[in-house]
Amino acid sequence: MTTTSTSIAVFTSDLRLRDNPVLHAAVRSADQVVPLFVVDRRVAAAGFAVPNRVAFLRDCLADLDAGLRERGGRLVVRTGDAVEEIRRVAEEVGAGEVHIAGGVSGFAGRREERLREALGGVGGVGGVALRVHGTVLTAVEPGTVTPSGGSRASGKDHFAVFTPYFRAWQGAAQRRPLAAPRRLRVPSGVRSEQAAAMSLSASGSLSPGLPEGGERAGRRRLHSWLRSGLAAYADRQDDLAGDATSRLSPYLHFGCLSPVELVRRARESGGPGADAFVRQLAWRDFHHQVLAARPDASHADYRPRGDRWRSDESAVAAIAAWKAGRTGYPLVDAGMRQLAAEGWMHNRARLLVASFLTKTLYVDWRVGARHFLDLLVDGDVANNQLNWQWVAGTGTDTRPNRILNPLAQARRFDPDGAYVRRWLPELADLPARHIHTPWTLPEPERAALPYPAPIVDLSEAAARFHASRHAD
């Protein structure tokens, strides 16, 4: 009698069929495969299951299930502790192997350790094999490129500055993208809590302008970007009103698109736009390799500066104004209102609003990072936390005390105020000379404007920040 072998493909942040090493290996290793996603209660308990990402995740799971069904399979969904549910499914189907993507966060590392231990006691001698796959979530796996003579003991187990990392990253070998499986067989009778996944919810309000989630939606956006956006990216990536970025970050965060494929497709297109886009993908990998080496950078200063962040009543009021888009600085407020409306923000605006909070208001970067994670569809630990640290000067920026002045940024990246007019309708009718400085309007007009006066003086704030940073 022939024995049928079974493997499990655990989906985490890789919710796609194309170029998915986890699914590819699981299908090739056994006669049958269980495509499994666990709605992990620990994620919700940690505060990461927020409304915007939960809504996007529902789309992703529905799309993934539909794609699997077209190939003769289906998505099996369980709810609970991920390790316990994976172990339980492995016992139910008699799995010989479990395949999963490697992660860089402390949470992912602990999950892998627990899973390896749990599977060791399943199925008799030797247990169930755990296969952890790289280059699923990044184009170049963390640790593939390191400084010369790098080691944890020397403190050089990862790159702490982007430019030398990028040089090494460009020279690293990258695998070829994998095709989606044509067919797959799922063992009959495997229980799935599909309805629970589709009814996922989280407390709080949804942003009204969320994108559609899922691999198919991501690929439509990718094709449009390659066709009509990539070539001009180098010239237009900081054009706030032009909205000329790819908007692919949510699909990368959830793994609906493969970073390996994106790098290859961009390089095949060639040109300055492609080079600039590939550089942004390398920044994403850079942050992942930092977090892989220093997991505590998700919450602790990567490079402590001795900051004594403000936390008094005036700081609390300033934080509330910043979150609401009511600081009195139109470009800052436009970025914050875009975030609230779309669950997304232009990267140039992200840098500006983060600088304003941490260096103009002198508020702890962790406050801003948490607010971003509460709203961003693309919010993940590596890119969100380490970008905030970079701006705050506690991360990998080689110029840690630089301040982005909102008026200077406005002149460069929104010179006619089109971005501000889009997100601050109360200022839409102002002439260009006043759009970024409404406090310079003649007093009768200024008094009638339903918009606040600036909550802080930029020059005084800059002086306070530099004094605080250089204080003994």
Side-chain angles (χ1 to χ4, degrees), residues 110-121:
R110 291 188 295 274
R111 179 182 62 198
E112 182 180 323
E113 291 176 4
R114 291 179 58 228
L115 186 56
R116 196 175 299 280
E117 181 179 353
L119 293 176

Side-chain angles (χ1 to χ4, degrees), residues 187-453:
S188 60
V190 183
R191 178 176 59 84
S192 179
E193 299 167 0
Q194 199 76 19
M198 293 305 102
S199 63
L200 277 171
S201 62
S203 60
S205 301
L206 278 174
S207 296
L210 295 181
E212 178 187 1
E215 182 177 9
R216 276 178 266 214
R219 296 195 72 81
R220 287 195 297 270
R221 191 175 289 273
L222 170 61
H223 294 153
S224 175
W225 167 247
L226 293 173
R227 184 175 60 251
S228 59
L230 180 64
Y233 181 67
D235 296 325
R236 301 190 62 205
Q237 61 180 312
D238 285 322
D239 179 1
L240 285 163
D243 197 15
T245 63
S246 72
R247 288 189 177 244
L248 294 175
S249 54
Y251 302 96
L252 281 165
H253 169 61
F254 282 91
C256 305
L257 294 175
S258 156
V260 169
E261 181 185 2
L262 262 61
V263 170
R264 179 173 287 269
R265 296 286 294 274
R267 284 175 169 169
E268 288 172 352
S269 297
D275 292 343
F277 181 61
V278 168
R279 185 181 178 87
Q280 293 303 310
L281 293 170
W283 265 108
R284 183 175 179 273
D285 280 12
F286 171 73
H287 289 317
H288 277 75
Q289 61 95 40
V290 172
L291 190 63
R294 299 290 185 273
D296 64 348
S298 64
H299 57 85
D301 290 352
Y302 180 76
R303 289 191 174 115
R305 305 292 180 186
D307 288 300
R308 296 182 293 276
W309 304 108
R310 292 173 58 219
S311 58
D312 57 12
E313 288 186 12
S314 66
V316 172
I319 292 166
W322 177 82
K323 289 181 177 181
R326 300 282 292 174
T327 69
Y329 288 97
L331 196 59
V332 172
D333 294 341
M336 296 305 293
R337 294 198 202 177
Q338 181 181 27
L339 173 62
E342 296 189 342
W344 185 88
M345 192 195 302
H346 192 290
N347 186 60
R348 173 53 55 180
R350 296 190 198 202
L351 296 174
L352 172 60
V353 304
S355 177
F356 189 85
L357 183 72
T358 58
K359 291 176 174 174
T360 301
L361 299 179
Y362 202 43
V363 168
D364 194 332
W365 65 265
R366 282 158 280 249
V367 174
R370 179 67 259 176
H371 183 65
F372 269 34
L373 284 178
D374 285 344
L375 292 174
L376 284 173
V377 177
D378 63 21
D380 67 39
V381 173
N383 291 296
N384 186 66
Q385 310 302 88
L386 290 171
N387 269 316
W388 268 95
Q389 291 227 48
W390 189 91
V391 175
T394 61
T396 60
D397 188 6
T398 55
R399 294 170 54 198
N401 294 329
R402 78 171 92 197
I403 299 174
L404 299 183
N405 182 297
L407 301 183
Q409 295 283 299
R411 287 191 294 271
R412 289 186 62 188
F413 304 118
D414 190 33
D416 62 0
Y419 180 73
V420 165
R421 288 187 178 88
R422 181 178 304 157
W423 294 109
L424 303 185
E426 65 268 40
L427 304 184
D429 294 332
L430 291 188
R433 67 182 181 277
H434 292 301
I435 188 68
H436 292 295
T437 56
W439 59 88
T440 63
L441 283 165
E443 185 51 38
E445 296 177 53
R446 173 69 192 96
L449 198 65
Y451 185 71

Side-chain angles (χ1 to χ4, degrees), residues 104-145:
V104 298
S105 68
F107 179 88
R110 291 188 295 274
R111 179 182 62 198
E112 182 180 323
E113 291 176 4
R114 291 179 58 228
L115 186 56
R116 196 175 299 280
E117 181 179 353
L119 293 176
V122 176
V125 178
V128 176
L130 178 64
R131 311 295 185 197
V132 180
H133 298 270
T135 62
V136 182
L137 313 181
T138 56
V140 173
E141 187 69 8
T144 300
V145 294

